[in-house]
Structures are given as C-alpha cells and as structure tokens.
Amino acid sequence: IKLDYNYVPKHGTGDATGDGGPGGASTAGQGNKDSHDITLTGAVPGVEGLNIGVGYYRANYDLTGSEDQKEEGTAYATYAYGPLTLGYQLGAVTEQGAANAFYKNKYFGVSYAVSDDLSVSYNRTESRKGNAGYTPDASTYDGFSLSYSVGGMTINMADTDCSNCSYTAAKSQGERTVSLSVAF
C-alpha cells in the first residue's frame, strides 16, 4: 500500500521564474492559490492480481475576487489474471466559482495479451456534465487498440469513436491512428 500527498503553495506556476520559485499573478481576480492532492494505491492482500486506488485533488483560486475551487476524486480497481487484465474507474470533478460545473466519469477497460508480442484492448469512457445548462446526454468514447512488437519496434493501431461528443446530442466523431516506435 502506498500513500502519496502533495501540497503546492501556488499551483499552475511550477518553475515559471528563473530561480524555480513560484511565480504568477497574486492579486484578486488573477491568481492561482494552493492545491492539495492525496492518493492511496496498492495491491489487495490475499487477492493476487487485484490492485485498487483512490485519489482526491483540490485547487483553490482567487479568479473573481471570491473563493473559487476545483475538486476531483477518483477510485479504481484493476485485476490481472494470466494474459487478461480488467480495469474500472469512477471519477468526479466539481468546479465552483464563476463557472459552476460537475462532471461524473466512468471508465472500463479490458486488455488481452495474445502473445509476448501481440496485445489487443477495448476501452469505454462515459462522461456526464451537470450545471445550469445540464444536458442528460453523456459523451461516450469507445476505443479498440492493437499493439505488435518485434525486436525494438512496436506498431500500434487504434480506433476511437465518440457519441454525443462535447455533451452535444447526436454529435459524433471517429479517429483512427497508426504509430510506429523504434527503440535503439
């Protein structure tokens, strides 16, 4: 079991200044404030192949002269049995302030290692958005992928389809990609 905690005194600025210290605007209506995230991950004792995790993130802002914030939470489980791996994840995001919004997300994936060199996978993502202009249509993404390795070369093919994209009813989009990576 692994516990991680991260505190950033002024998120979104990273090493924006030359000395690596936090930079950016700090007056009301212009600034990012602190952020916190915590995760707990690990294998489940006594159940070989089962891993779980939970995480929480909170970022505070002063964008409108008032206290604004963004919170995210997630929980997942993966189970591997031989060449088969299954995964499921739930997540939620809330944004409070000038643009209140809520997102609820579900993820499911399955992969199968046909051999040491060939694997196939399927993933499904469903995202619902809620706010003043709430629409009940969930954006849904379905993806299939295939990966084949030979020596230091890997060929990946992926096909992804989206329905109700951008939370818009009947809006659909598809994408197919082929990539080649070579290790030297």
Side-chain angles (χ1 to χ4, degrees):
I1 302 292
K2 180 179 174 186
L3 176 68
D4 287 312
Y5 175 76
N6 187 33
Y7 169 74
V8 177
K10 188 172 184 106
H11 65 86
T13 57
D15 56 357
T17 61
D19 64 359
S26 61
T27 59
Q30 299 178 10
N32 294 347
K33 295 171 76 177
D34 63 331
S35 69
H36 309 263
D37 61 76
I38 187 167
T39 59
L40 180 65
T41 59
V44 175
V47 184
E48 187 175 336
L50 181 61
N51 291 291
I52 59 170
V54 294
Y56 172 77
Y57 167 79
R58 179 178 174 155
N60 296 304
Y61 299 88
D62 188 5
L63 300 176
T64 60
S66 64
E67 297 298 316
D68 302 320
Q69 67 187 25
K70 179 178 183 178
E71 292 181 285
E72 300 178 17
T74 190
Y76 76 87
T78 62
Y79 181 69
Y81 182 77
L84 183 68
T85 302
L86 302 168
Y88 187 76
Q89 181 175 355
L90 292 172
V93 177
T94 63
E95 296 174 350
Q96 298 174 6
N100 290 330
F102 176 79
Y103 302 88
K104 181 179 178 184
N105 307 306
K106 296 179 188 176
Y107 310 92
F108 169 76
V110 59
S111 67
Y112 184 74
V114 178
S115 68
D116 288 342
D117 301 322
L118 178 65
S119 65
V120 295
S121 66
Y122 167 76
N123 296 292
R124 182 176 180 88
T125 301
E126 178 181 294
S127 180
R128 293 191 180 274
K129 179 181 180 182
N131 59 14
Y134 176 77
T135 176
D137 297 311
S139 290
T140 305
Y141 303 86
D142 290 298
F144 296 93
S145 63
L146 176 73
S147 179
Y148 180 70
S149 296
V150 134
M153 238 176 18
T154 302
I155 299 170
N156 293 303
M157 292 179 277
D159 181 46
T160 304
D161 292 309
C162 173
S163 60
N164 298 327
C165 300
S166 302
Y167 311 100
T168 303
K171 181 179 178 183
S172 62
Q173 183 175 333
E175 181 176 297
R176 288 175 186 83
T177 60
V178 176
S179 66
L180 172 68
S181 61
V182 180
F184 295 97

